Amino acid sequence: MRSVKSLIAAGAASLLSSAAFAADMPIMPPPPMAYAPPPVQDFGGWYLRGDIGMTNLNGKLFAPGYNDASTVSVRQVGHGFTGGTSFGLGVGYQFNNWFRADITGEYRSKVNFNGNDFAVISGLNGVPGNWPLGDTYNGGISSWVGLVNVYADLGTWWCLTPFIGAGVGGAWNKTTGLADLTTFPANNLSTSLYQADGATKVNFAWALHAGVAYKVTNNFTVELAYRYLDLGSAVTGGGSTFDGHTSTRPFEFRDLTSQDVRLGVRWTCCDVPPPPPPPLITKG
């Protein structure tokens, strides 16, 4: 019986001693709470781009004779251009998940122009009266276009990102000559052929973009887009008829616009590294 009491007393003394030792230990502050680094943002960096498109140029031809006081009336029929192709390259920068900008240059292939004018001229060649005549035109235009563009990406769903954009720059329009076959119905259907030379003109140009992009990989994106492009105007040079009559007065293509469908690719070549995450534990 005495041995059991001794064991109990010894155990109690040991517990009291341990509690006293723990009470004498300094109190340590708890470690700071750890937090996860912010998610890596999926944007940033320079990119190269290439585009190929189908062009649909529109505009009206203005003949120099329409400024003459002798022109009574003019009716234009069937003015239009054939379809063409555009080829472009550019470099840009993706600033964040929704904003990017690029500089592009493109070549627009030659398209042919055809159309007819029916006019009434007063006192044709000094002969009194109003004289009808008809003009049949055939010519061509090609262009170089440079633009600075900005885009807004409107969110991503199933790897598809719709976007809108706008651009400003310049267009270098080159005519490749214009043939004007004039018919005089009142004069036994006689004809006269005038051949104008080609010329170049530089204009202010602007564009509106809308399309959708598909991200194939982190560095490679495919775009399908529509673009409305205003190219300004174009002119011809002087010319001559086959019977020796010459003129320095140019024909003018006015209000040149194009509605293009374009397929493009973007390759992000230099990703911007994300900022390093903060340490998990900071010193107190």
Side-chain angles (χ1 to χ4, degrees), residues 156-207:
T156 301
W157 297 268
W158 303 287
C159 296
L160 296 174
T161 304
F163 63 87
I164 56 175
V168 294
W172 186 78
N173 300 322
K174 176 179 174 59
T175 57
T176 56
L178 180 74
D180 175 11
L181 179 64
T182 305
T183 304
F184 303 94
N187 191 20
N188 298 320
L189 295 178
S190 62
T191 60
S192 175
L193 179 63
Y194 178 81
Q195 185 70 46
D197 299 325
T200 60
K201 185 180 180 185
V202 178
N203 305 271
F204 173 77
W206 59 271

Side-chain angles (χ1 to χ4, degrees), residues 49 89-91 101-106 108 144-151 166-171 203-209 227-231 260 262:
R49 69 173 302 135
L89 295 173
V91 59
D102 55 39
I103 299 174
T104 59
E106 69 179 82
R108 300 172 62 88
W144 289 89
V145 179
L147 294 171
V148 177
N149 307 283
V150 293
Y151 309 89
V168 294
N203 305 271
F204 173 77
W206 59 271
L208 298 175
H209 310 269
R227 182 182 67 181
Y228 179 87
L229 177 64
D230 189 308
L231 297 97
D260 304 335
R262 294 155 55 84

Side-chain angles (χ1 to χ4, degrees), residues 112-133:
N112 292 322
F113 172 83
N114 294 280
N116 297 278
D117 287 348
F118 299 96
V120 176
I121 305 298
S122 176
L124 182 64
N125 294 328
V127 180
N130 293 332
W131 298 87
L133 58 85

